[in-house]
Amino acid sequence: METQFATTVAALDDKSDSYKENLIGTLLAIFGNLFISISLSVQKYSHVRLAGLKDTRTYYWTKTWWFGLLLTIVGELGVFTSYAFAPLSLVTPLSAVSVIASSILGFIFLRDKWKPKDFLRRYVLSFIGCALTVVGTYMFVTFGPNTHERLTADNIVKHLIGWPFLLYLLLEIIAFCLLLYFYKKKNAKYLVVILILVALLGSMTVITVKAVSGMLVLSITGSLQLNYPIFYIMFVCMVATAVFQASLLTDASQLYDSSQIASINYIISTLFAITAGAVFYLEFNHADVLHLCMFFLGCLIAFLGVFLITRNRKKSKAFEPYVTMDAVAALPNMHDKGRTIQPDYNGSFSYGALVSSDSTPENYTPATLAIVQEQHNSKAASTMPYWASDLKKD
């Protein structure tokens, strides 16, 4: 009787510790992604402000840019540490927080322009997307897996040589090689193909990140794990897969729109990361059917929200005739009524503070252009002056 009571108390203590560690990991992931979003907005603000003020300094000489870089480091450290406390299936989808924060900061901090008549058309979908993403995030955090184990070197080796992961690794290698063959040899540069390659590598990255982060945290708290070879194997795999992911994402960004890449990559990478966590760390072994259904429903709602947010963003244009810089306060304006740094584009190109010469009278033409015509059948060359008015008729 006493033994059964002691076992029950120990199980309750373990469950309480698991909830506490999940909460720590979740908060670290949320605030880490939030800091990353703020840092990107701060660095963008620095670049835009330098361009608007015609500052000749390089961006890395500004305090604003360095502050943004500091926030990036703090955010990445927070996300990295969160993997040591919370399950993969819980931390990975929380990158949706970064999408929400970027959308809100772009609207408030960078003062993205909007007109009242265009508000419904341009921003309602973004607000709906933010709301859906918040609801989905709440659902998968609430009903997500509540499992946690000490990520010692022995436990990681045990997971690494287990048959579920070996089978998963074999299937992943086959799929990666086939897709890479079609991508490189058959020139199948479809966005889905590239992002599935990224997600396959990403599933290995998150497994190794969690292992490295967990062993580092244990080493800091007193249980040294850095003297095991598995730590360095995981570290090398983490760096290698991250570098190859960055290379593939660079290729994708040169072929497709960034907002389209962001939404599809979030969906595919999250699905593969959840699968990797379920296979390697056995995160859903003790989950009931109701929690599983609610967790995946929350993920689907978050996917829809991220898709709506990124879908409503403006696509980049191939050419911009002038740059509008009214997004940043205290920038010099060149017109009394307008806010353009360069003059308006009225059908022809004009630079500086001059208005297009198409609307000026001919007698105010400032200069002439002499064109030399060569006579192919004679040795002498004759020059004929052409005035700007004659050139315009041509």
Side-chain angles (χ1 to χ4, degrees):
M1 186 70 178
E2 292 179 358
T3 305
Q4 184 178 3
F5 177 75
T7 304
T8 304
V9 171
L12 290 174
D13 289 339
D14 290 340
K15 193 172 182 179
S16 176
D17 292 339
S18 180
Y19 273 118
K20 186 186 298 183
E21 292 184 348
N22 276 9
L23 179 61
I24 293 173
T26 301
L27 292 176
L28 283 172
I30 290 174
F31 284 105
N33 284 296
L34 186 61
F35 280 6
I36 291 171
S37 298
I38 295 173
S39 70
L40 293 176
S41 296
V42 169
Q43 288 182 326
K44 182 179 178 181
Y45 176 87
S46 174
H47 287 292
V48 171
R49 193 168 185 274
L50 281 177
L53 294 175
K54 296 182 179 179
D55 198 330
T56 57
R57 291 181 299 169
T58 314
Y59 62 89
Y60 51 76
W61 289 109
T62 61
K63 296 179 181 179
T64 311
W65 187 86
W66 281 103
F67 179 65
L69 181 62
L70 178 63
L71 289 177
T72 302
I73 295 173
V74 172
E76 293 291 353
L77 284 176
V79 174
F80 178 78
T81 310
S82 69
Y83 282 99
F85 294 95
L88 274 182
S89 308
L90 198 59
V91 174
T92 308
L94 285 173
S95 57
V97 174
S98 179
V99 180
I100 300 173
S102 297
S103 179
I104 295 173
L105 289 171
F107 183 77
I108 298 175
F109 181 70
L110 292 174
R111 302 181 190 176
D112 287 347
K113 295 188 302 179
W114 60 272
K115 298 177 181 179
K117 63 179 182 181
D118 296 332
F119 182 81
L120 291 176
R121 179 174 57 86
R122 287 184 55 189
Y123 289 99
V124 164
L125 279 181
S126 293
F127 288 150
I128 294 174
C130 288
L132 288 175
T133 307
V134 170
V135 172
T137 302
Y138 173 79
M139 289 181 65
F140 67 66
V141 167
T142 303
F143 297 99
N146 189 35
T147 58
H148 183 73
E149 64 174 335
R150 287 171 57 86
L151 294 177
T152 61
D154 293 334
N155 286 338
I156 290 177
V157 171
K158 181 180 69 175
H159 289 306
L160 193 63
I161 62 176
W163 70 266
F165 176 70
L166 292 177
L167 178 60
Y168 175 78
L169 183 62
L170 176 63
L171 294 175
E172 187 168 281
I173 291 173
I174 294 172
F176 184 83
C177 291
L178 287 174
L179 289 173
L180 190 63
Y181 171 77
F182 283 107
Y183 174 64
K184 293 293 186 181
K185 298 297 183 181
K186 300 297 183 180
N187 203 29
K189 296 187 177 181
Y190 303 107
L191 180 59
V192 174
V193 172
I194 300 174
L195 294 184
I196 289 177
L197 287 171
V198 172
L200 289 171
L201 289 171
S203 64
M204 291 295 104
T205 304
V206 292
I207 287 174
T208 54
V209 166
K210 184 173 177 63
V212 171
S213 178
M215 284 190 281
L216 280 175
V217 169
L218 285 178
S219 299
I220 292 171
T221 55
S223 178
L224 186 63
Q225 304 292 318
L226 304 184
N227 54 350
Y228 292 94
I230 189 64
F231 172 81
Y232 301 97
I233 293 173
M234 287 292 185
F235 181 80
V236 171
C237 292
M238 177 185 72
V239 174
T241 53
V243 168
F244 281 113
Q245 277 188 86
S247 176
L248 288 169
L249 284 173
T250 302
D251 293 343
S253 64
Q254 294 174 353
L255 298 172
Y256 297 95
D257 185 68
S258 60
S259 60
Q260 189 178 11
I261 294 172
S263 60
I264 299 176
N265 183 51
Y266 171 75
I267 295 170
I268 298 177
S269 295
T270 301
L271 289 175
F272 274 88
I274 291 172
T275 305
V279 173
F280 190 88
Y281 293 105
L282 308 176
E283 293 178 348
F284 292 97
N285 270 12
H286 303 290
D288 55 71
V289 177
L290 177 62
H291 278 71
L292 282 175
C293 292
M294 296 300 291
F295 172 79
F296 284 106
L297 179 61
C299 289
L300 289 176
I301 294 174
F303 292 163
L304 179 59
V306 170
F307 176 77
L308 290 178
I309 293 172
T310 55
R311 181 74 173 175
N312 200 42
R313 288 179 181 173
K314 286 184 176 180
K315 294 184 178 181
S316 57
K317 297 180 181 179
F319 175 75
E320 289 286 349
Y322 61 89
V323 181
T324 58
M325 304 294 293
D326 60 336
V328 182
L331 291 182
N333 296 324
M334 303 203 58
H335 302 292
D336 294 334
K337 297 182 179 179
R339 286 190 169 190
T340 54
I341 294 300
Q342 296 179 9
D344 295 334
Y345 173 61
N346 298 321
S348 64
F349 302 107
S350 57
Y351 299 93
L354 298 177
V355 185
S356 174
S357 61
D358 290 349
S359 59
T360 57
E362 293 184 1
N363 55 350
Y364 286 98
T365 304
T368 61
L369 179 64
I371 298 177
V372 177
Q373 290 185 337
E374 296 182 357
Q375 303 293 335
H376 297 286
N377 297 326
S378 62
K379 295 181 180 180
S382 61
T383 59
M384 292 189 64
Y386 289 92
W387 297 88
S389 59
D390 298 325
L391 290 175
K392 290 178 66 176
K393 293 176 183 178
D394 294 335

